[in-house]
Amino acid sequence: MWNPFKKAQSKISSTAVNMMQKVAMKKLQNMSLEEQQKIMQEAFKPENKEKLLAVMEQMKSSGQITEEQYRMAKQKMGM
């Protein structure tokens, strides 16, 4: 049977994600330096670092990023 909500449950297209990334980067660039630092401190709290690390591990295992990219990201995060 046809389900009218099936399309709504599908994954978000990569073009939509790319567009949102561009919007977020522009918004970040327009912020003051203090606001940027506050957001970065919030993003890199210990519990958030663990989440980021888990996502990066998953990306590495699925082939979205290489081992070198994974190591560079960890190094930039201070891990």
Side-chain angles (χ1 to χ4, degrees), residues 34-49:
E34 295 83 22
E35 288 178 308
Q36 288 179 7
Q37 289 175 347
K38 182 180 174 185
I39 288 175
M40 291 303 160
Q41 286 175 351
E42 180 72 28
F44 290 112
K45 285 184 177 178
E47 60 271 8
N48 292 339
K49 279 187 179 182

Side-chain angles (χ1 to χ4, degrees), residues 12-13 20 23-25 33-34 36 55 58 60 68 75 79:
I12 299 172
S13 69
M20 291 303 292
V23 170
M25 285 302 295
L33 187 60
E34 295 83 22
Q36 288 179 7
V55 169
Q58 184 181 17
K60 183 179 77 168
E68 182 180 340
Q75 183 180 14
M79 301 178 116

Side-chain angles (χ1 to χ4, degrees), residues 11-23:
K11 292 184 179 179
I12 299 172
S13 69
S14 63
T15 56
V17 173
N18 289 338
M19 184 183 73
M20 291 303 292
Q21 287 175 340
K22 289 177 185 177
V23 170

Side-chain angles (χ1 to χ4, degrees), residues 2 4 7 9 15 23 28 33 46 50 56 58-59 66:
W2 178 72
K7 185 175 183 179
Q9 294 174 353
T15 56
V23 170
L28 187 66
L33 187 60
E50 295 301 320
M56 289 187 338
Q58 184 181 17
M59 290 174 72
T66 63

Side-chain angles (χ1 to χ4, degrees), residues 1 26 31 33 56 60 63 66 69 71:
M1 176 178 259
K26 283 184 181 181
M31 288 181 180
L33 187 60
M56 289 187 338
K60 183 179 77 168
T66 63
Q69 290 171 328
R71 278 188 266 121

